[in-house]
Amino acid sequence: MQRSLEKSNRQFQRAVKRLPLGVASNFRYWGDDKTIYVKRARGARLWDIDDNEYIDYRLGYGPAILGYADPRVDEAVREGIEIGGVFALATEREYVVAERISKMVPAAELVRFSNSGTEAVMAALRLARGYSGKDGYILVEGGYHGLFDAAQWYAAIEEMENEADQPEIKAYGKGIPKLLKRLIHQVQLNDANQLEEVMRRHADEIGAFLIEPIMGNCCSIMADAEYLQAARSLCDRYGIVMIIDEVKTGFRVARGGVQEMMGVDADLCTFAKAIANGYPISALAGKEEIMRHIGGDGVAHGGTYTAHSACLAAADRTLEILDETDALADIESYGRRMQEGIGKILSARSLAHVYSGHPSMAGLFFAEEVPRNYRDWLRSDYALYDALAANLHEEGILCEPDSREPWFISSAHDDACLEETLAKFETALDATLKTLPGNHSS
Ligand code: PMP
């Protein structure tokens, strides 16, 4: 039976009269008749206003690491609300949470809070410029760092005629000042020679190298540890601030994030998402020598809503749980078992597939080899993924419709979720293979 989105469709028609695209964030619009409106979510499950039930592998793009409405975190938030909100003054808990972050991430010698990933990365880039005195920066093809102007650029690989070409750097839509483009240098992931060449030639104008070592917005395509270590040395050699954007990987792929996983310390790093199980708080952290440039006649940082008492309480409790329980190991184990189960289903149909990234946020690729950079994504069978995703939604498995978003797992995903996911995956896959033209098996 087809899933009904009747109420969601009606809500869309009402909402679009007052909200552009009928939603509060462009990414939530999936089409006039496909946009989902949520009634509630608990643990790993979410219900829409038509009462369709889903096992959720989007988790709001990652934040709900302990599952939606985790009672331990929500209890802490209630107590945090009682403190009173924001005061344009500091509270004691800011220090407590900063201490916890420093303990979990050694490079986080000093910490400042913000409200979103965008704000944290924006602050990191400003601080890197303030410290280095250089405005240029390096972006990695396929990376995503938020909605501020300097980060709203991408490599137009789909338009490249020749693989050896450099892709054009384009703005994500209108309203981004064109002159910013002059400050950007773009490199491919996992090509240390190219990185060195760019740094050597432009060292006097590049202040920051911005990287997501697991590209959480690009199928979790992952840097090799050796590449990241080489990048670390190059940044040191050329006086460039290394910003590791851990907005998605932070407190998820390991207690100390991707830096722990790959044995590399950033100069500056940014956290959001998993830090507070979905409450809006983020952090900019890094080496004391650089972070001390905040304030005085140095770098401006702050904001009215920074370190709200409810969000700070959520971060305090969430990080305590992630640091002191086996939550992350459980998440990783679920991810591995799901990959094995899905792998068996795909192999039985002779479908070539690989996973990229970390099991807690893995990308599923219909390709023979694990992708090493964004351009490899083009070579995968993403048409199959796109069609499959639509059928998974029909079955009640919520993954991102765009194959560039990984599958996120929370500690609330249990054995019942896994069994149900695998059964529904098989049904959705067979439905997809029946309808899709062409040969999708290898
Ligand atoms: N950096 C990365 C790596 C992200 O994944 C995101 C969001 N997906 C951001 C920055 C921006 O975070 P936010 O949406 O909270 O502004």
Side-chain angles (χ1 to χ4, degrees):
M1 208 182 67
Q2 270 250 306
R3 168 186 62 138
S4 166
L5 287 180
E6 198 188 317
K7 288 186 182 161
S8 273
N9 290 345
R10 239 184 289 137
Q11 179 60 27
F12 172 77
Q13 293 304 338
R14 190 184 312 154
V16 79
K17 295 193 180 107
R18 198 59 78 195
L19 299 153
L21 298 177
V23 291
S25 169
N26 288 3
F27 310 112
R28 298 179 194 173
Y29 170 76
W30 289 6
D32 290 11
D33 58 353
K34 290 195 184 65
T35 296
I36 293 174
Y37 291 84
V38 175
K39 184 188 269 179
R40 65 193 282 271
R42 288 286 179 282
R45 293 177 193 260
L46 178 150
W47 292 264
D48 66 20
I49 58 174
D50 288 282
D51 287 323
N52 297 305
E53 180 176 330
Y54 305 89
I55 300 176
D56 192 352
Y57 291 100
R58 296 174 69 251
L59 300 177
Y61 292 142
I65 190 146
L66 302 172
Y68 292 112
D70 180 88
R72 298 161 294 181
V73 177
D74 286 359
E75 181 58 36
V77 168
R78 273 181 219 106
E79 176 261 321
I81 289 171
E82 289 300 318
I83 295 170
V86 281
F87 320 100
L89 290 170
T91 61
E92 288 174 311
R93 194 174 255 147
E94 290 163 27
Y95 169 75
V96 174
V97 179
E99 276 285 286
R100 173 79 66 178
I101 294 172
S102 279
K103 171 177 174 267
M104 294 172 83
V105 184
E109 292 172 2
L110 263 63
V111 179
R112 266 293 175 94
F113 296 103
S114 293
N115 303 294
S116 67
T118 294
E119 263 189 89
V121 185
M122 192 167 67
L125 187 58
R126 177 184 292 169
L127 179 54
R129 287 166 163 165
Y131 172 77
S132 67
K134 300 183 281 185
D135 290 344
Y137 54 106
I138 302 176
L139 295 174
V140 176
E141 290 176 14
Y144 179 80
H145 302 285
L147 276 160
F148 63 111
D149 288 348
Q152 282 283 292
W153 299 86
Y154 71 99
I157 57 166
E158 279 133 313
E159 293 163 26
M160 281 163 58
E161 280 178 14
N162 196 325
E163 267 197 38
D165 292 348
Q166 263 301 94
E168 197 185 333
I169 301 172
K170 287 195 159 178
Y172 280 112
K174 301 193 172 147
I176 317 288
K178 290 184 189 60
L179 51 85
L180 282 183
K181 188 169 159 175
R182 281 188 237 146
L183 299 173
I184 303 170
H185 299 264
Q186 203 144 32
V187 295
Q188 283 198 70
L189 191 70
N190 285 325
D191 185 342
N193 291 334
Q194 184 196 21
L195 185 64
E196 172 153 26
E197 177 68 13
V198 169
M199 286 188 176
R200 193 178 50 74
R201 276 211 265 143
H202 305 282
D204 55 345
E205 59 190 75
I206 296 173
F209 173 51
L210 192 49
I211 181 168
E212 270 181 285
I214 298 179
M215 297 203 284
N217 304 272
C218 189
C219 333
S220 278
I221 295 171
M222 189 155 76
D224 303 329
E226 300 75 53
Y227 172 78
L228 203 63
Q229 283 152 12
R232 173 68 278 175
S233 316
L234 289 170
C235 284
D236 289 340
R237 190 182 321 152
Y238 291 105
I240 292 170
V241 176
M242 183 181 208
I243 304 173
I244 298 192
D245 182 352
E246 294 233 39
V247 161
K248 277 190 168 166
T249 52
F251 314 115
R252 168 172 280 282
V253 300
R255 287 185 173 90
V258 77
Q259 297 176 73
E260 177 184 316
M261 198 178 142
M262 297 191 179
V264 172
D265 283 348
D267 292 317
L268 296 176
C269 43
T270 50
F271 301 94
K273 315 270 187 194
I275 196 172
N277 208 44
Y279 289 92
I281 183 165
S282 61
L284 156 67
K287 302 270 171 66
E288 174 160 11
E289 185 198 334
I290 303 175
M291 291 290 288
R292 291 280 178 219
H293 285 252
I294 292 176
D297 58 1
V299 171
H301 178 270
T304 304
Y305 294 105
T306 300
H308 188 287
S309 64
C311 302
L312 209 51
D316 194 359
R317 189 73 181 107
T318 304
L319 291 177
E320 182 184 39
I321 294 167
L322 294 175
D323 195 21
E324 296 179 14
T325 73
D326 290 332
L328 291 183
D330 294 344
I331 291 171
E332 183 171 341
S333 153
Y334 185 104
R336 286 196 194 286
R337 286 180 290 139
M338 186 166 80
Q339 289 186 358
E340 276 167 29
I342 287 179
K344 276 190 196 141
I345 296 167
L346 293 169
S347 298
R349 289 153 184 81
S350 304
L351 288 165
H353 63 279
V354 286
Y355 302 100
S356 48
H358 185 271
S360 67
M361 50 176 285
L364 166 60
F365 266 89
F366 292 112
E368 300 279 351
E369 279 173 34
V370 179
R372 294 181 40 76
N373 58 45
Y374 184 29
R375 300 183 199 186
D376 286 345
W377 167 76
L378 264 189
R379 288 188 277 272
S380 74
D381 189 355
Y382 56 89
L384 172 57
Y385 184 98
D386 292 349
L388 173 64
N391 282 319
L392 284 166
H393 298 166
E394 290 302 322
E395 291 299 319
I397 303 297
L398 204 55
C399 57
E400 185 70 9
D402 184 333
S403 65
R404 278 168 284 193
E405 188 72 15
W407 290 46
F408 286 99
I409 293 163
S410 75
S411 60
H413 284 84
D414 57 14
D415 288 350
C417 289
L418 185 58
E419 201 180 310
E420 198 177 319
T421 300
L422 295 179
K424 290 182 166 176
F425 187 93
E426 192 158 21
T427 309
L429 180 64
D430 286 339
T432 310
L433 293 175
K434 258 190 225 140
T435 54
L436 219 58
N439 179 13
H440 290 273
S441 59
S442 61

